[in-house]
Amino acid sequence: MTVTPSSTSLTTALTVTVAVSGGGSNPTPTGTVVLSSGAYNSAVTNLSDGTATFTVPAGALITGSDVLTATYTPDSNSSSTYNSASGTSSVTVNPAPGFTLAPLTASVTVVQGSSNTDTITVVEVNGFTGNIHSLPAVYRVG
């Protein structure tokens, strides 16, 4: 049994292909596979020509190192030839890129009839390179 993730380091959804082989002249295994890692458990998926493909949604795995475990269960057509089996593969989940906003001061006081300003700094996090679109914010008191 082989477990093949589309990438070993990711920040987005992950495609995982699980192949179950009978080897030699044995028939192609039939049955189901479940993919799991920590709190993530896939739906039970039927093998098709000995393979099953899973899409693990972004955010379903914890940030850091994860071990994906695929568990095969033969159906009635394969149970006389094959036993249940499992296989693993490791992936590293990178934190998603983003940004934080940091005001220059903790609070701004505005007296009725006057105005005040503050500077807000945008700080990239985890390699964020996208565009940030903003609208001016105007707050009036009174």
Side-chain angles (χ1 to χ4, degrees), residues 36-41 60-62 66-69:
S36 62
S37 178
Y40 172 76
N41 289 296
L61 303 175
I62 61 169
D66 285 86
V67 175
L68 299 170
T69 300

Side-chain angles (χ1 to χ4, degrees), residues 65-81:
S65 181
D66 285 86
V67 175
L68 299 170
T69 300
T71 304
Y72 163 69
T73 303
D75 61 14
S76 60
N77 296 324
S78 285
S79 61
S80 63
T81 306

Side-chain angles (χ1 to χ4, degrees), residues 14-29:
L14 175 69
T15 301
V16 179
T17 302
V18 176
V20 181
S21 172
S25 61
N26 291 323
T28 300

Side-chain angles (χ1 to χ4, degrees), residues 33-131:
V33 177
V34 173
L35 186 68
S36 62
S37 178
Y40 172 76
N41 289 296
S42 73
V44 175
T45 302
N46 291 316
L47 286 174
S48 175
D49 293 324
T51 64
T53 301
F54 300 88
T55 300
V56 181
L61 303 175
I62 61 169
T63 299
S65 181
D66 285 86
V67 175
L68 299 170
T69 300
T71 304
Y72 163 69
T73 303
D75 61 14
S76 60
N77 296 324
S78 285
S79 61
S80 63
T81 306
Y82 301 108
N83 295 318
S84 295
S86 63
T88 61
S89 183
S90 297
V91 294
T92 300
V93 179
N94 299 315
F99 60 90
T100 61
L101 300 176
L104 186 60
T105 57
S107 65
V108 175
T109 303
V110 180
V111 178
Q112 185 174 356
S114 65
S115 63
N116 201 340
T117 62
D118 192 12
T119 301
I120 297 176
T121 304
V122 178
V123 180
E124 67 85 16
V125 177
N126 302 319
F128 179 80
T129 59
N131 294 320

